[in-house]
Amino acid sequence: MTSTLPIRLPLDGNTASGSRSSQLPQFEGSAHAKAILFGEHAVVYGAPAIAVPIHELAAEARVDSAAEGVRIESELFSGDASAAPARLQPVVTAIHAALAYCGKSDESVRVQILSAIPHSRGLGSSAAVAAAIARGITNWAGVQLTTAGLYDIVQQAERVAHGNPSGLDARAVTSDGAIRFDFGAVSPVRIGAPLSFVLADSGIAGSTAEAVGAVRMRREQNPEGMETLLSRLASIAEGAIDDLALGDHEAIGARMRDAHEVLHAIGVSSDALDALVAAAHDAGAIGAKLTGGGLGGCIIALAHSAEHAEQLGCALREAGATRTWTATVPVA
Ligand code: MEV
């Protein structure tokens, strides 16, 4: 698969209405993917984390009135929400939470979901789909969606998807720029020079709930050792704030290398992820690490330029990545 993206969608939240496939007006909502640059897992225990938006990958929800009940149309399942499979329960939760937010729990809707974000790959697919649904349904209902309301709807869906999410994904998929997340508080991160990344898929699904559960268990078994490792992740994220502001790519890359080593030590990497990280370094990446929950999913590698990111993508596919995507984070 090439690094060209399948769809690019408008990302300004509650967007235009119009009629597409049905005669009823349709209302849209969208949200983008995210990649965690620093601080995954440690963020669950209150450490700072840094995430970047991946605008190149997006999810969209199209909403219109239905004859009866709540109808979902998606690649995985089409039918009444009450018959949706387990994997779609976060979607069902997001729909009901958004309808409740609008005071329209008893109304009938059809929600079409189109997503270019692969699920179980650490790219925020479940949070982005929930955010797109929240935006689409509030747009359909003509109800103003506040930042707090959006966060609350996405977190309700994320709890069903992952158990006890830190909230980082919910914030990252709804923020236009890079963010620092500190136990619920979000602030923008200054980016002193554009960042060109490649994301490479190991082809193996990673369960965030499983990875978070495994870290929790190790922390119970070995509190001191794990505390040392989690604090290292916290200081890597803390130190990266200045490097990002200065546009110091070498320092950012070095921190990515360190972060991957620590994530490996806490047990959330895998042979496939380690091999992709090594292949990225061999191909000249400034730094590379797993991103998100791990135990499968993707790595993120920092390139010297957008062109170099494309070259890294080729090298990573040759090294076994099933898919790659390039992404740029501009100066901010
Ligand atoms: C998942 O994208 C990030 C984790 O830190 C879990 C969380 O923040 O809830 C692994």
Side-chain angles (χ1 to χ4, degrees):
M1 176 147 185
T2 72
S3 56
T4 313
L5 297 157
I7 53 168
R8 180 154 184 139
L9 300 163
L11 295 170
D12 50 351
N14 295 352
T15 53
S17 63
S19 43
R20 283 199 184 170
S21 58
S22 79
Q23 286 158 343
L24 292 165
Q26 266 190 339
F27 297 84
E28 297 172 4
S30 61
H32 53 74
K34 60 83 196 171
I36 300 175
L37 209 45
F38 297 107
E40 53 269 268
H41 287 288
V43 69
V44 173
Y45 302 97
I50 300 169
V52 293
I54 306 295
H55 287 290
E56 292 83 351
L57 282 174
E60 183 182 286
R62 294 179 189 164
V63 181
D64 55 18
S65 299
E68 204 187 344
V70 172
R71 186 176 166 79
I72 296 173
E73 288 176 12
S74 72
E75 216 181 317
L76 182 71
F77 165 84
S78 289
D80 194 86
S82 59
R87 222 190 78 204
L88 278 193
Q89 288 315 306
V91 164
V92 175
T93 301
I95 294 173
H96 287 304
L99 287 172
Y101 179 85
C102 299
K104 290 186 181 287
S105 290
D106 295 332
E107 299 224 6
S108 298
V109 281
R110 178 173 72 128
V111 181
Q112 286 176 272
I113 296 154
L114 296 94
S115 180
I117 311 171
H119 66 87
S120 310
R121 295 299 191 272
L123 300 180
S125 160
S126 56
V129 168
I133 289 169
R135 286 170 164 163
I137 287 182
T138 48
N139 194 21
W140 163 81
V143 168
Q144 179 72 35
L145 180 61
T146 61
T147 305
L150 175 59
Y151 179 71
D152 182 56
I153 293 167
V154 177
Q155 277 295 82
Q156 287 189 48
E158 285 291 89
R159 273 182 218 111
V160 175
H162 305 308
N164 187 24
S166 66
L168 170 61
D169 287 16
R171 293 292 187 202
V173 300
T174 53
S175 299
D176 274 346
I179 56 162
R180 173 190 172 127
F181 181 91
D182 243 322
F183 234 164
V186 194
S187 50
V189 170
R190 274 207 55 221
I191 303 291
L195 298 162
S196 294
F197 293 113
V198 61
L199 294 153
D201 186 354
S202 65
I204 298 159
S207 156
T208 300
E210 207 179 291
V212 169
V215 172
R216 177 162 295 118
M217 212 175 70
R218 280 191 202 105
R219 196 165 168 263
E220 280 161 17
Q221 287 163 350
N222 176 12
E224 265 181 41
M226 285 295 276
E227 225 34 67
T228 307
L229 294 169
L230 292 168
S231 323
R232 263 182 74 193
L233 289 175
S235 48
I236 290 169
E238 195 67 62
I241 293 285
D242 282 347
D243 300 336
L244 288 162
L246 291 168
D248 186 342
H249 286 182
E250 290 303 328
I252 298 162
R255 288 190 197 276
M256 289 173 77
R257 289 170 192 254
D258 278 359
H260 185 76
E261 265 179 36
V262 183
L263 289 164
H264 176 96
I266 68 169
V268 294
S269 193
S270 67
D271 290 349
L273 290 169
D274 290 346
L276 287 177
V277 165
H281 290 144
D282 287 349
I286 308 171
K289 62 180 276 291
L290 71 83
T291 184
L295 295 182
C298 291
I299 68 145
I300 182 167
L302 179 61
H304 291 282
S305 63
E307 198 188 7
H308 183 222
E310 294 290 346
Q311 290 161 10
L312 284 180
C314 287
L316 286 164
R317 291 193 300 278
E318 272 167 28
T322 53
R323 299 175 278 196
T324 62
W325 304 270
T326 56
T328 302
V329 179
V331 167

